Amino acid sequence: MAIDLAVLRGDGIGPEIAEATLAVLAAADRCFGLGLSFSEIPVGLAAFAAEGTTFSDASEARIRAADGVILAPLATYEYAEGQPNPSARIRRGLDLYANIRPSVSRLPGAARRMDLVIYRENTEGFYADRSMFAGSGEFMPSPDMALAVRKITRSACERIARAAFEAALHRRRKVTAVHKANVLRQTDGLFLEAVRHVAGDYPTVSLEEVIVDAMAAHLVRDASVYDVVVTTNMYGDILSDEAGELAGGLGLAPALNVGADHAVAQAVHGSAPDIAGRGIANPVALILSAALLLEWLGARRGEPLLTDAARAIEAAVTAALADPATHTPDLGGDGTTAGFADAVVRALSR
Ligand code: ATP
C-alpha cells in the first residue's frame, strides 16, 4: 500500500495542530503498515511570504494528484485584498459537495451520549460565492437595501441525500432531513422533495423531517436521538457548531469534505488567532478529521487496514481524553498540544 497525503499546515494554530496530527498519523502508520507519505504544500500567510500568493495553481495541481488532503485552519481574514481563499478554491476545484461533520461525546462524564453526523451540502445555498455564474450572490440595489440569493438545485440535494442515506446504512438507519419548507416553500421544498425521492431507494432507512428552528432546540434537549442529519449549507454550518459544542466543544469537532474522487480533512473550527503560537491549541478536531480521511480511503479502496487504523485513532483519542491531565485549556485543563498528541500516540501503541 502507498498513500500520499497532501499536508497544508495553514495559519494561526494550524501549524501546531497539523504537527500533532502528523505525529498521530505516523504512529498509526507504524502500527498498521499503511505506507503513508506526506507532501507539504505551501498555503496561506507562509505561502504568501515565500511565493507572493496564499495559494498557487501549482499547489492546487499537487492537491489534485494526492490520495487525500489534510488542511489545517486558515486566517483568510488576514489575507491581502485579492489573495485566494485556499479552502474555497479547493472545495470548488475538487467539487467537494459533502461536508461531513460528526458530533460524538467523548469527554468523561457526558450527561447523555450523542453520536450523530451532519451531512451538510457544500456547494450552493446562501453563500455569496456559490450561487451565481458571474458576480456575487449578495448585492445592494440601494444603500439601504441588501439582497442575497440562495441557490438550491435538485441535483445537489439528491447527491447530498444519497451520501447521507449511504452513511445511514452503516449506522442506526435513520436520516433526519432539516429544512424550513413551511416558509421557504420552493427552495427548501425542492430540497425535501429530493430527499424523499432518494429515500425511496433506501427502504430499510427511516426518514424524519424536522424544521430547522425546532432542530436547534431538539439538539439541546436530547441530541442522542439523532443519527444521520442531512441539510442545506447554512443550516448545516450552524447546527454543526451547535452539535459540536454540545459534544464537548469546537476543539473536538472534526469534518471531512468529500467529492466523487477527493476528500479533504479539515477541522470545523478556525485558526484561533487568540491562542496561536502558544502550544496550547486542542489538536483533537484535526486528528479526528484525519481519521475520517483514512476511513474514507479504506472504504474507497476496500482496504480494511485503513479502516482499522481510523477506528484505532478514534479510540486512542477517546482514551487520551479520559485522563483530564491531557486536557488543553479549552477543555478546562492545562495540557499542551504536543502533550495531547503524545498521549494519543501512547494509547495507539498500546
Ligand atoms: P477564524 O476567523 O479563523 O474562524 P476565530 O477565532 O473567529 O478564527 P475559531 O478559530 O473557530 O474562530 O475560534 C473560536 C474560539 O474557539 C476562539 O476563542 C478560539 O481560541 C477557540 N478555539 C477554536 N479552535 C480551538 C482549538 N483547536 N483549541 C482551542 N481553542 C480553540
Side-chain angles (χ1 to χ4, degrees), residues 74-140:
L74 302 162
T76 47
Y77 50 86
E78 281 189 37
Y79 295 179
E81 182 81 20
Q83 284 301 313
N85 174 342
S87 176
R89 277 266 299 269
I90 293 169
R91 285 186 194 189
R92 224 188 347 260
L94 304 186
D95 194 22
L96 304 173
Y97 65 85
N99 190 217
I100 302 171
R101 296 183 160 189
S103 288
V104 179
S105 13
R106 296 181 193 279
L107 290 174
R112 272 206 179 108
R113 229 190 104 66
M114 68 191 274
D115 180 359
L116 62 81
V117 55
I118 295 182
Y119 275 67
R120 165 191 172 199
E121 204 291 321
N122 217 12
T123 61
E124 53 184 34
F126 243 137
Y127 289 79
D129 61 336
R130 279 164 237 191
S131 42
M132 309 287 275
F133 169 67
S136 167
E138 243 193 332
F139 41 92
M140 292 187 79

Side-chain angles (χ1 to χ4, degrees), residues 1 3 5 21 23-36 38 106 287-299 303-318 344-345 347-349:
M1 201 164 22
I3 295 170
L5 298 180
T21 302
V24 170
L25 285 174
D29 194 19
R30 284 194 297 276
C31 297
F32 290 88
L34 305 175
L36 298 185
F38 303 104
R106 296 181 193 279
I287 293 171
L288 291 176
S289 304
L292 291 174
L293 178 61
L294 294 186
E295 196 176 336
W296 177 82
L297 280 164
E303 184 46 82
L305 267 185
L306 286 161
T307 316
D308 292 348
R311 303 254 156 85
I313 291 174
E314 259 196 73
V317 166
T318 305
V344 177
V345 168
L348 252 182
S349 310

Side-chain angles (χ1 to χ4, degrees), residues 204-222:
T204 60
V205 178
S206 69
L207 170 64
E208 73 173 349
E209 297 169 2
V210 180
I211 295 174
V212 62
D213 38 311
M215 186 68 183
H218 291 332
L219 279 177
V220 173
R221 181 173 299 172
D222 184 7

Side-chain angles (χ1 to χ4, degrees), residues 13 17 73-77 241 250-252 268-275 280-285 328-330:
I13 60 170
I17 61 174
L74 302 162
T76 47
Y77 50 86
D241 265 32
L250 259 188
L252 304 176
V268 167
H269 62 75
S271 62
D274 51 336
I275 56 165
I280 56 165
N282 189 340
V284 169
T328 43
D330 57 305

Side-chain angles (χ1 to χ4, degrees), residues 37-263:
S37 61
F38 303 104
S39 300
E40 300 272 348
I41 297 187
V43 73
L45 296 170
F48 185 71
E51 314 178 327
T53 175
T54 52
F55 193 57
S56 67
D57 292 345
S59 294
E60 189 170 343
R62 288 176 66 194
I63 283 172
R64 205 176 278 281
D67 295 310
V69 182
I70 295 173
L71 174 58
L74 302 162
T76 47
Y77 50 86
E78 281 189 37
Y79 295 179
E81 182 81 20
Q83 284 301 313
N85 174 342
S87 176
R89 277 266 299 269
I90 293 169
R91 285 186 194 189
R92 224 188 347 260
L94 304 186
D95 194 22
L96 304 173
Y97 65 85
N99 190 217
I100 302 171
R101 296 183 160 189
S103 288
V104 179
S105 13
R106 296 181 193 279
L107 290 174
R112 272 206 179 108
R113 229 190 104 66
M114 68 191 274
D115 180 359
L116 62 81
V117 55
I118 295 182
Y119 275 67
R120 165 191 172 199
E121 204 291 321
N122 217 12
T123 61
E124 53 184 34
F126 243 137
Y127 289 79
D129 61 336
R130 279 164 237 191
S131 42
M132 309 287 275
F133 169 67
S136 167
E138 243 193 332
F139 41 92
M140 292 187 79
S142 77
D144 299 314
M145 184 198 299
L147 301 174
V149 171
R150 177 174 184 241
K151 174 177 154 195
I152 300 288
T153 64
R154 191 183 301 278
S155 58
C157 295
E158 284 190 0
R159 66 180 178 172
I160 191 69
R162 200 161 293 284
F165 276 91
E166 283 294 322
L169 286 178
H170 306 287
R171 296 176 52 102
R172 304 199 304 275
R173 293 179 179 258
K174 176 179 167 188
V175 169
T176 304
V178 177
H179 67 96
K180 186 86 181 168
N182 52 333
V183 177
L184 297 166
R185 290 173 188 269
Q186 295 182 21
T187 43
D188 276 359
L190 179 56
F191 165 74
L192 266 190
E193 200 180 300
V195 174
R196 288 176 192 157
H197 175 72
V198 170
D201 293 339
Y202 297 86
T204 60
V205 178
S206 69
L207 170 64
E208 73 173 349
E209 297 169 2
V210 180
I211 295 174
V212 62
D213 38 311
M215 186 68 183
H218 291 332
L219 279 177
V220 173
R221 181 173 299 172
D222 184 7
S224 70
V225 300
Y226 297 105
D227 182 22
V228 178
V229 176
V230 64
T231 190
T232 51
N233 202 342
M234 192 173 283
Y235 302 155
D237 193 7
I238 296 167
L239 290 177
S240 58
D241 265 32
E242 182 188 352
E245 202 54 46
L246 289 168
L250 259 188
L252 304 176
L256 189 70
N257 293 289
V258 176
D261 299 312
H262 300 275

